[in-house]
Structure formats: C-alpha cells, structure tokens
Amino acid sequence: EPEVTQTPSHQVTQMGQEVILRCVPISNHLYFYWYRQILGQKVEFLVSFYNNEISEKSEIFDDQFSVERPDGSNFTLKIRSTKLEDSAMYFCASSMTAGRTEAFFGQGTRLTVV
Amino acid sequence: AQTVTQSQPEMSVQEAETVTLSCTYDTSESDYYLFWYKQPPSRQMILVIRQEAYKQQNATENRFSVNFQKAAKSFSLKISDSQLGDAAMYFCAYRSYKAAGNKLTFGGGTRVLVKP
C-alpha cells in the first residue's frame, strides 16, 4: 500500500541552526501538508501546498519556515534558525484532491532543539 | 474559525467492551468533513473513519462507528469489542469543504486505555 515517507525519524539540532525535514508524498497525490505536534498537545496545521505554491498557512508558519518541492517526489520543510520551542513532532501529509479524499500522514519526524 | 473540542482527556475500557469518545465542533459552514484519527505510541496518525456532513447516514468501519448529529455539531466515535491494539490517542478533526488550503483542524485528543 502506498505511504507517505518522512526522513529522518529523529533530528537533533542546536538552537539557531537550520534544519530541513524531508517527505516523499504518495506519488499521485497533488496536495501536500505539514503539521506540528508539540509533546502532549494537539496537532496543529502549518501549511498546505498545491501546484508548486502555498495555498494556506497558519500563523505559526512565519518567516523562519519555508516549504519546497524541489523535484517531482520530495516535499521539504525548512526551519531557518531553530528555536527551543520548535521542538515537536512534524508530520507530512498528502491527499489526492481537495475534495472528499482524506489526507494520509507520514510517520513523523521528531525534532529536538537543544 | 472552526474549533474542535474533545472533552474527555482519557477513557478506559475493558477488553471486548464498548467505549464512546465525544467530539464537538464549531462552524458556520454547511459542507464539511469530519474525521477520527488514531495515534498509537509510534505517533503515526492513522485514519479511522470519515464522515461527510451532507450524508445523514452514520459512517461505519468494522468495529468503529460514528454518531453524527449535525444540528448539535457533535461527532462521537464508538469502538465496539475493544481490543488491546485499540489503545492509542484518538483525535477528532474537521475539514472545510471549500477552504483552498484543505487543512485539518484537530481536537485536543482522547487517550484510550484498554484493560485486559
């Protein structure tokens, strides 16, 4: 069964460093998302991406964040200068259309900022 | 903005028994989707069940069923014949039918404990 794949599963970085979280969405999906879950809290929407541009972003997704689809398969989230409060589980998701199809989630990348 | 509320932080159920998880949401829209996601200790988000707001019939998936009350803005999940593998966090989620970004808005989650 097709699945969304995220790498790495765990990333430790020093405060102020840049990190890139990588995702390979399901191949025929057209909509891509990033969500964040701080430990013990709810899952929060960060950004959605369609047709090579951001279609919606939350207030969390400020200038330190960026997304890119550098080739036909990868979808990346870059955090430019990490802060301690960026420590969280980051989930990538994809869906085939904007309609009734559900989003499929990857297994997540645990980001720890020290 | 839409909000999703899960009022039960934790629910405990005996194996083979039934447990019902509550979810309420706030929206001014008439067309939308509702979902229940399961998050086991591995922390991956797994879709359990989906309901389209325009459908009056409640969705079912094997041992999982929902009670969708559109007027009351309520969307509860019933897990029948609970199994040890059902132990997880369960998140209720809302998605607008029209929103360009197609984002999911999640509730705070309910932890389900299954006692053998």
Side-chain angles (χ1 to χ4, degrees):
Chain A
E1 187 173 327
E3 59 181 19
V4 177
T5 306
Q6 290 185 242
T7 54
S9 56
H10 190 193
Q11 172 102 39
V12 181
T13 188
Q14 290 210 326
M15 191 168 54
Q17 294 295 304
E18 174 184 287
V19 294
I20 297 176
L21 309 183
R22 302 181 192 281
C23 170
V24 179
I26 294 173
S27 62
N28 61 344
H29 284 188
L30 301 176
Y31 289 79
F32 315 114
Y33 315 88
W34 283 101
Y35 289 83
R36 179 180 82 175
Q37 185 183 30
I38 295 171
L39 187 65
Q41 298 186 23
K42 65 170 67 176
V43 179
E44 301 172 292
F45 169 78
L46 291 178
V47 66
S48 60
F49 192 86
Y50 169 70
N51 199 26
N52 279 320
E53 60 183 25
I54 291 173
S55 47
E56 188 175 1
K57 61 182 181 179
S58 72
E59 59 274 11
I60 302 169
F61 194 87
D62 60 21
D63 291 344
Q64 70 162 339
F65 292 94
S66 61
V67 289
E68 192 178 35
R69 189 154 160 83
D71 51 43
S73 59
N74 290 285
F75 179 52
T76 61
L77 174 69
K78 182 192 292 186
I79 309 175
R80 209 177 333 273
S81 177
T82 50
K83 305 171 191 167
L84 294 176
E85 54 266 35
D86 293 327
S87 295
M89 196 78 164
Y90 288 81
F91 291 101
C92 174
S94 69
S95 64
M96 191 179 300
T97 69
R100 64 182 300 276
T101 56
E102 62 267 24
F104 290 84
F105 283 76
Q107 78 279 21
T109 293
R110 183 186 301 276
L111 176 66
T112 302
V113 183
V114 297
Chain B
Q2 293 82 19
T3 58
V4 179
T5 302
Q6 294 178 248
S7 59
Q8 306 151 318
E10 187 174 284
M11 294 287 283
S12 185
V13 61
Q14 205 71 36
E15 197 175 4
E17 298 289 304
T18 295
V19 64
T20 299
L21 311 183
S22 301
C23 173
T24 58
Y25 57 93
D26 186 26
T27 184
S28 58
E29 299 176 330
S30 58
D31 292 324
Y32 48 87
Y33 306 93
L34 296 164
F35 305 86
W36 279 98
Y37 279 87
K38 172 184 177 181
Q39 188 181 47
S42 66
R43 297 193 74 183
Q44 181 161 12
M45 299 290 285
I46 302 166
L47 179 68
V48 174
I49 201 165
R50 174 187 64 216
Q51 175 82 41
E52 290 95 334
Y54 66 87
K55 288 187 178 178
Q56 292 187 338
Q57 187 173 6
N58 290 322
T60 61
E61 282 290 343
N62 301 314
R63 298 181 295 106
F64 298 88
S65 61
V66 298
N67 183 4
F68 173 49
Q69 301 288 328
K70 191 172 183 180
K73 296 180 183 173
S74 168
F75 181 61
S76 61
L77 174 70
K78 184 169 79 172
I79 307 174
S80 303
D81 186 25
S82 297
Q83 300 175 0
L84 295 177
D86 295 333
M89 283 291 287
Y90 287 80
F91 292 95
C92 179
Y94 172 102
R95 193 177 87 204
S96 169
Y97 182 77
K98 297 181 201 172
N102 222 27
K103 71 177 184 184
L104 289 165
T105 300
F106 286 89
T110 297
R111 182 177 305 280
V112 172
L113 305 173
V114 182
K115 297 178 180 177

